[in-house]
Amino acid sequence: MASKFFSTAPRAVQTRLCRTPNSVSIASRLPQRRYISAYGYEQAKALTFSEYGEPPSVLSLHSHSISPPHSNFMTLRFLASPINPADINQIQGVYPSKPTFTTNLGTANPIAVAGNEGVAEIIALGEGVKKEGFKKGDWVFMKGPGFGTWRTHASATTDDVVKLDDQMREGISAIQAGTVSINPCTAYRMLRDFTTLQEGEWFIQNGANSGVGRAAIQLGKKWGYKSINVIRSRDDKVKEEAMKKELKELGADVVITDAELQSQGIKDMAKEWTNGGRAPIRLALNCVNGKAATAMAKLLSSSSHFVTYGAMSKQPLTIPASMFIFKDIHFHGFWVSRWAEKHPGEKQMTVADVLDMTRKGEFRDMPVDEIRWEWESKGDELIAKVKDTLEGYREGKGVFVFGKT
Amino acid sequence: MASKFFSTAPRAVQTRLCRTPNSVSIASRLPQRRYISAYGYEQAKALTFSEYGEPPSVLSLHSHSISPPHSNFMTLRFLASPINPADINQIQGVYPSKPTFTTNLGTANPIAVAGNEGVAEIIALGEGVKKEGFKKGDWVFMKGPGFGTWRTHASATTDDVVKLDDQMREGISAIQAGTVSINPCTAYRMLRDFTTLQEGEWFIQNGANSGVGRAAIQLGKKWGYKSINVIRSRDDKVKEEAMKKELKELGADVVITDAELQSQGIKDMAKEWTNGGRAPIRLALNCVNGKAATAMAKLLSSSSHFVTYGAMSKQPLTIPASMFIFKDIHFHGFWVSRWAEKHPGEKQMTVADVLDMTRKGEFRDMPVDEIRWEWESKGDELIAKVKDTLEGYREGKGVFVFGKT
């Protein structure tokens, strides 16, 4: 498995799939399609599950066919679909957004397709879809969670998808388009929607080398905010230093380990960074929870905001009363799916803004661990890759990248 | 010591000190003053401390004299000063608002006067104070914390005090005026400032029989909000039932014990009370913390607000990530001192509104445990009463009520 870090690589290397200077010719440069039925029936494969459980136990690769699209139906061929932690939680049955269980894929008992984020091309469409301005070769991503994106092909309606218009798509790779909806949007809205940071003011975040963390570093930098970034301590100090250096190159002002965060002298250090507290730390972004998150909250200035969007430690957040009453810290949560559902217009604008920055070279992808999914790929191989994500920290974000399907 | 519950008593019984239909004649009905020096020097006694510690160990009754007021100084005689939990914490040195340590009371080493809330009458005043519209006999309370109210007399300037004007004072007892600044204001602002409850919507609170709790029940009732009120379980079930009945008579819709809150069937019960969830529970007020507070948060509707103003259990608050991320509950704190400092105008209006409701019989005092403080009262006796408050739950709020001083 090729494992590559793209965040510090030059832009030409970052964008590998389907990248063209002119979007009109993109379709012709896509990897060739495996097979087109003479009658318009499409063969499809999908990672599905019929009951909740640990992904290696409950997932299987299911083959089915899709009938030719008519009226407001279209047939999609997926290009890139990431493996997000929420996808795993959804399969485990512990995610509040449930997938659609259906017998439409030709099974006696209902099954659901895993995955929630991804980008696909339209390979066939009914008349109704054409009337709404869609055409063959257009790229779309999912409007909300629960559609199922770990699949080669799908039948969808215009209600299921958002079109990436030609202008937005220019200079954007499938991996970039397929991973923009969740992590960069999460970072973007958390930096903007809970408080109005002024230029020169600070935010602090943990999980700083995650997709959201890297996006926050870059967006914060662009908007003039300063950042304290917490990463896990590593036994391999050379790797730890390399990670610090990498995040600083992305735009991080300060990078510390969780051990450093929880050490004695941290308050004095924070004072030094923030010019004696004159440039306040007014926002915290938390995807870890547990003691390390409480330690982060302690560095906030009075009347600041603390936003939780994950709990990698699987611990709750414990907050002393004084932090509420006397320090007036406000604690919130952020869930990009709910936000997108409530604010579809803002989501479009946020995605467009991030893709625009990407196009200009101002926003680097997070490191991606590509999982090639060819037509011949075996279910066991694909599921083993999901298991890798489940069990530890990959070297980069796992993304199914579809080859000749 | 007379221990009385006034909240359910008729209004005529509730208001015992200095209550007159016409404020002009109030001064003449005040308890007689002990002594007026021929030269205008006032003898004073105060509960003071020179170092932080447990109140019984560090408090002492200190006698001193106050010189005749000139320019912008006035001499105050206290009428009623409550013992609030924050006062205890301040003496212990664990409260962020510190008292003023001074040698102005005639000691070699600096001492501070305990207590933060109270009402006093002006017994002498300089020309500068008169020019600002104050007169002998006017009632004032403290503008902010830290002045020291557990004292018979004090020298103050107009910056230290807020005048209770004649209209506001009409029909109001000294105990009512001396206890309006903290508990009723806390309840009032928490119900108003974190979310806009609609009529028929619910809030939930613990410590419901506290001063703040009783104020919230009554204010909520007046404004059309419904309330779920949590009280401590008691071994004496007759007393427990009496407490439930008493709070319902105040306006509580539902009263449950913390054991009932943490029992299996609570979610179903809450559904029943709230008409299947159609009338949402959108606000929680917490002065307990610990598991019982987390259990309360679990009953909130999505996107609700949870406000902490105390931690009687001395436990922190532990919040699972899902409550932030998926239920979108926002957690805040409230500290009436900070609020009052930031919003002095709003504080005046809030106090005026509560006193107006009190005058109309729409707002009942909380049960008060009067501690008489006469000129002859011994320091040991007064300190023993403070110790009572420290050690357990009094039958009513401890308030120093000054007799012939």
Side-chain angles (χ1 to χ4, degrees):
Chain A
M1 175 179 67
S3 165
K4 290 167 191 161
F5 282 77
F6 290 96
S7 65
T8 56
R11 192 165 148 262
V13 182
Q14 287 178 49
T15 55
R16 293 150 300 148
L17 244 196
C18 322
R19 184 157 169 265
T20 68
N22 184 335
S23 59
V24 179
S25 60
I26 286 176
S28 61
R29 298 209 193 174
L30 286 171
Q32 255 201 305
R33 290 180 57 211
R34 165 195 41 84
Y35 168 80
I36 301 172
S37 152
Y39 301 97
Y41 279 84
E42 195 62 51
Q43 297 305 305
K45 292 183 183 178
L47 284 173
T48 63
F49 56 109
S50 59
E51 56 182 350
Y52 295 121
E54 289 308 309
S57 311
V58 299
L59 282 180
S60 65
L61 188 65
H62 171 70
S63 297
H64 65 101
S65 68
I66 296 169
S67 52
H70 60 89
S71 60
N72 66 330
F73 283 90
M74 62 182 100
T75 303
L76 303 178
R77 190 177 84 87
F78 275 85
L79 304 174
S81 301
I83 301 175
N84 286 307
D87 303 329
I88 304 290
N89 295 148
Q90 191 181 54
I91 297 165
Q92 291 166 328
V94 296
Y95 195 64
S97 169
K98 304 297 180 196
T100 312
F101 286 91
T102 175
T103 54
N104 284 352
L105 306 184
T107 53
N109 294 317
I111 57 171
V113 178
N116 292 279
E117 191 182 18
V119 67
E121 65 163 324
I122 300 176
I123 57 172
L125 65 175
E127 284 306 314
V129 185
K130 286 180 192 166
K131 278 183 196 151
E132 290 194 45
F134 289 79
K135 63 184 185 301
K136 210 172 147 175
D138 276 350
W139 284 13
V140 295
F141 38 61
M142 304 303 113
K143 193 173 270 175
F147 182 85
T149 58
W150 297 357
R151 67 207 306 176
T152 62
H153 302 78
S155 174
T157 70
T158 50
D159 283 345
D160 297 322
V161 299
V162 175
K163 185 183 157 184
L164 196 66
D165 67 32
D166 292 346
Q167 196 189 338
M168 268 166 73
R169 183 172 146 187
E170 195 184 314
I172 298 298
S173 73
I175 288 179
Q176 289 166 337
T179 57
V180 72
S181 302
I182 295 189
N183 289 338
C185 281
T186 298
Y188 195 114
R189 299 322 321 181
M190 290 196 301
L191 285 176
R192 285 285 181 98
D193 293 349
F194 293 90
T195 186
T196 307
L197 285 181
Q198 305 298 317
E199 282 193 22
E201 290 186 342
W202 291 73
F203 70 94
I204 183 168
Q205 63 168 345
N206 54 30
N209 61 320
S210 69
V212 173
R214 285 162 182 267
I217 289 170
Q218 298 180 78
L219 293 167
K221 186 78 180 173
K222 183 175 162 68
W223 296 333
Y225 313 153
K226 292 188 164 275
S227 63
I228 299 169
N229 298 275
V230 185
I231 59 172
R232 277 175 306 122
S233 306
R234 282 146 209 264
D235 292 335
D236 183 339
K237 293 299 163 194
V238 176
K239 272 200 177 175
E240 189 177 289
E241 282 307 311
M243 174 67 74
K244 286 184 174 183
K245 187 160 171 277
E246 190 185 332
L247 296 185
K248 280 183 183 170
E249 281 168 3
L250 268 189
D253 292 283
V254 174
V255 186
I256 55 175
T257 64
D258 47 11
E260 288 167 330
L261 173 70
Q262 292 178 71
S263 70
Q264 280 282 321
I266 186 66
K267 283 219 160 184
D268 291 333
M269 283 197 276
K271 261 196 179 165
E272 209 167 289
W273 299 324
T274 59
N275 191 17
R278 278 186 287 278
I281 308 172
R282 297 219 297 119
L283 180 68
L285 311 181
N286 165 42
C287 65
V288 173
N289 256 13
K291 278 184 189 174
T294 308
M296 194 164 74
K298 286 181 182 161
L299 292 189
L300 285 171
S301 306
S302 286
S303 301
S304 295
H305 295 263
F306 185 103
V307 186
T308 295
Y309 66 98
M312 274 163 42
S313 70
K314 297 188 180 169
Q315 296 296 311
L317 184 63
T318 298
I319 308 165
S322 61
M323 212 175 264
F324 289 116
I325 303 171
F326 303 129
K327 276 202 78 181
D328 189 32
I329 310 294
H330 302 260
F331 291 81
H332 317 269
F334 184 78
W335 184 24
V336 72
S337 301
R338 185 185 49 236
W339 167 79
E341 201 179 326
K342 276 193 184 173
H343 308 95
E346 262 189 78
K347 182 184 169 182
Q348 288 264 51
M349 281 166 50
T350 305
V351 164
D353 204 9
V354 174
L355 292 182
D356 192 49
M357 288 171 62
T358 304
R359 194 177 300 114
K360 290 178 182 160
E362 295 172 356
F363 190 88
R364 298 190 205 164
D365 303 4
M366 75 165 297
V368 163
D369 184 355
E370 284 189 33
I371 306 163
R372 302 292 302 179
W373 184 335
E374 306 290 343
W375 182 254
E376 299 77 17
S377 297
K378 301 277 177 240
D380 290 351
E381 293 164 17
L382 298 171
I383 293 164
K385 301 295 186 186
V386 175
K387 193 168 172 242
D388 287 349
T389 290
L390 181 64
E391 285 181 349
Y393 298 91
R394 314 182 74 106
E395 304 257 328
K397 185 176 195 65
V399 179
F400 290 116
V401 177
F402 298 85
K404 197 175 171 187
T405 55
Chain B
M1 176 177 67
S3 164
K4 288 168 191 161
F5 283 77
F6 290 97
S7 66
T8 55
R11 190 161 148 263
V13 182
Q14 288 178 47
T15 54
R16 292 151 298 149
L17 245 196
C18 322
R19 182 156 170 268
T20 67
N22 184 334
S23 58
V24 180
S25 61
I26 285 176
S28 62
R29 299 209 192 175
L30 286 172
Q32 256 202 305
R33 290 181 56 211
R34 165 192 43 82
Y35 167 80
I36 301 172
S37 150
Y39 301 97
Y41 278 84
E42 194 62 51
Q43 296 306 306
K45 292 184 184 178
L47 284 174
T48 63
F49 55 109
S50 58
E51 56 181 351
Y52 295 120
E54 288 309 308
S57 311
V58 299
L59 282 180
S60 66
L61 188 65
H62 171 72
S63 296
H64 64 102
S65 68
I66 296 169
S67 51
H70 59 90
S71 61
N72 65 331
F73 283 89
M74 63 182 100
T75 303
L76 303 179
R77 190 177 83 88
F78 276 84
L79 304 174
S81 302
I83 301 174
N84 286 307
D87 302 328
I88 305 290
N89 296 149
Q90 191 181 54
I91 298 165
Q92 291 166 330
V94 296
Y95 194 63
S97 169
K98 306 296 180 197
T100 311
F101 286 92
T102 175
T103 54
N104 283 352
L105 306 184
T107 52
N109 293 317
I111 57 171
V113 179
N116 292 278
E117 191 182 17
V119 68
E121 65 163 323
I122 299 176
I123 58 171
L125 66 175
E127 284 306 314
V129 184
K130 285 180 191 165
K131 279 184 195 151
E132 289 192 47
F134 289 77
K135 63 184 185 301
K136 207 170 149 176
D138 276 349
W139 284 11
V140 296
F141 38 62
M142 303 305 112
K143 195 174 268 177
F147 181 84
T149 58
W150 297 358
R151 69 208 305 176
T152 62
H153 301 78
S155 174
T157 70
T158 50
D159 283 345
D160 296 322
V161 301
V162 175
K163 185 182 159 185
L164 196 67
D165 67 33
D166 292 347
Q167 196 188 342
M168 269 167 72
R169 183 170 146 188
E170 195 183 317
I172 298 300
S173 74
I175 288 180
Q176 288 166 337
T179 57
V180 73
S181 301
I182 294 189
N183 289 337
C185 281
T186 297
Y188 195 113
R189 300 322 318 182
M190 290 196 301
L191 284 175
R192 285 286 181 97
D193 294 349
F194 293 89
T195 186
T196 308
L197 285 180
Q198 305 298 317
E199 282 194 22
E201 291 184 342
W202 291 75
F203 71 94
I204 183 168
Q205 66 169 342
N206 53 31
N209 60 320
S210 69
V212 172
R214 285 163 183 265
I217 288 169
Q218 297 180 79
L219 292 167
K221 186 76 180 175
K222 183 175 163 70
W223 296 332
Y225 313 152
K226 291 187 165 272
S227 62
I228 299 169
N229 298 275
V230 185
I231 58 173
R232 278 176 305 122
S233 306
R234 282 147 207 263
D235 292 336
D236 183 338
K237 293 300 163 192
V238 176
K239 271 200 176 175
E240 188 176 290
E241 281 308 311
M243 173 68 74
K244 286 184 174 184
K245 187 160 171 279
E246 191 185 332
L247 296 185
K248 281 185 183 169
E249 281 169 2
L250 269 189
D253 293 282
V254 173
V255 186
I256 56 175
T257 64
D258 47 10
E260 287 167 331
L261 173 69
Q262 293 179 70
S263 69
Q264 280 283 319
I266 187 65
K267 284 219 160 184
D268 292 334
M269 282 197 276
K271 262 197 178 164
E272 209 166 289
W273 299 325
T274 59
N275 192 15
R278 278 185 286 278
I281 308 172
R282 298 219 295 119
L283 180 67
L285 311 181
N286 165 41
C287 64
V288 173
N289 256 13
K291 279 185 189 173
T294 308
M296 193 165 73
K298 286 182 181 160
L299 291 189
L300 285 171
S301 305
S302 288
S303 302
S304 294
H305 295 264
F306 185 104
V307 186
T308 295
Y309 66 97
M312 273 163 40
S313 70
K314 297 190 180 166
Q315 296 297 311
L317 184 63
T318 298
I319 309 165
S322 60
M323 212 175 263
F324 289 117
I325 304 171
F326 303 129
K327 276 202 80 180
D328 189 32
I329 310 294
H330 302 259
F331 291 81
H332 317 270
F334 184 79
W335 185 24
V336 72
S337 300
R338 185 185 49 238
W339 167 80
E341 202 179 326
K342 276 194 184 173
H343 307 95
E346 262 189 78
K347 181 182 169 182
Q348 287 263 50
M349 282 166 51
T350 305
V351 164
D353 203 8
V354 174
L355 292 181
D356 191 50
M357 287 170 62
T358 304
R359 194 176 298 115
K360 290 178 183 159
E362 296 172 356
F363 190 88
R364 298 188 203 166
D365 303 3
M366 76 164 298
V368 164
D369 185 355
E370 283 188 36
I371 305 164
R372 303 293 300 182
W373 184 334
E374 307 288 345
W375 182 252
E376 299 77 18
S377 296
K378 302 276 176 242
D380 289 351
E381 292 164 17
L382 298 172
I383 294 164
K385 299 297 185 185
V386 176
K387 193 166 172 246
D388 287 350
T389 290
L390 182 65
E391 286 182 347
Y393 298 93
R394 312 181 77 105
E395 304 257 328
K397 183 174 197 66
V399 179
F400 290 116
V401 177
F402 298 87
K404 196 175 174 186
T405 55

